[in-house]
Amino acid sequence: QSSVNTDGLIVQTKLTPIRPLKNTLPRPRLTERLLQALDYPVTILQAGTGYGKTTALAELAHRNIPIVWYHLEADDADRLVFLTHLLRGFYGVFDSLSSVPMAVIGAWSSSHLTSPAMVADALVNELNQHLTEHALLILDDAHLLNESPEVLELLERLIKHAPPSLH
């Protein structure tokens, strides 16, 4: 996808929905309720630890909806880590995206001639051009970004300018 080699920076398992355990009970009403996220630009699923949020969201992976999954951890509060994983997640689902956003991130990380906002903007432009169907971006454990105003600004920018088909 790109001349910028970010393979060493990517933890692929962060971009893969969990596999529900064998004994997980299906919850079709909850899954249908979660699919209502397609009616809104942003949906927040909030509950205490152990209530099955991640498991419930993973059920959406069995639907016929493109899902970009990103399980966040503390190190994702770094803008470069966040943007690199986010882009890789989108590239993994939408192979029609050009390498422009990854090239912008490469320019930003190596020369500081561009800004992180330009990376988000390049991604928005690609999605606007290529996203022809509804798709979900799931940020699992997004609360871990609360201590990173820079990443929250990027996320806000993405949400504000994203095409209406991205939820």
Side-chain angles (χ1 to χ4, degrees):
Q1 284 281 329
S2 166
S3 60
V4 178
N5 187 352
T6 58
D7 291 341
L9 301 175
I10 302 298
V11 179
Q12 292 293 335
T13 53
K14 289 182 175 189
L15 304 175
T16 307
I18 65 157
R19 258 191 319 215
L21 298 173
K22 194 179 202 180
N23 297 336
T24 301
L25 294 174
R27 297 180 285 178
R29 282 187 0 173
L30 178 58
T31 301
E32 289 304 316
R33 179 78 191 228
L34 289 172
L35 285 172
Q36 291 176 1
L38 297 175
D39 296 331
Y40 304 96
V42 176
T43 300
I44 297 174
L45 179 59
Q46 184 175 357
T49 303
Y51 276 80
K53 300 176 296 292
T54 300
T55 302
L57 289 169
E59 284 296 317
L60 296 177
H62 303 294
R63 299 300 177 121
N64 198 19
I65 301 165
I67 293 177
V68 176
W69 184 281
Y70 184 0
H71 177 80
L72 295 151
E73 296 176 349
D75 62 335
D76 295 300
D78 176 89
R79 293 179 302 181
L80 181 59
V81 173
F82 176 77
L83 285 170
T84 304
H85 277 83
L86 187 67
L87 290 179
R88 209 41 97 110
F90 275 103
Y91 284 136
V93 175
F94 302 104
D95 57 7
S96 63
L97 298 180
S98 80
S99 62
V100 170
M102 199 59 84
V104 173
I105 204 170
W108 164 57
S109 65
S110 64
S111 68
H112 301 288
L113 296 176
T114 60
S115 72
M118 292 176 78
V119 178
D121 293 348
L123 175 60
V124 165
N125 289 339
E126 283 297 310
L127 293 173
N128 192 49
Q129 187 173 3
H130 297 283
L131 196 61
T132 58
E133 57 189 318
H134 287 285
L136 293 170
L137 168 61
I138 295 177
L139 299 175
D140 190 20
D141 286 334
H143 66 279
L144 295 174
L145 299 177
N146 287 342
E147 301 303 316
S148 178
E150 296 94 358
V151 173
L152 290 176
E153 274 182 40
L154 290 170
L155 190 53
E156 183 178 340
R157 187 175 189 94
L158 177 65
I159 291 168
K160 180 179 180 184
H161 297 292
S165 53
L166 180 65
H167 310 278

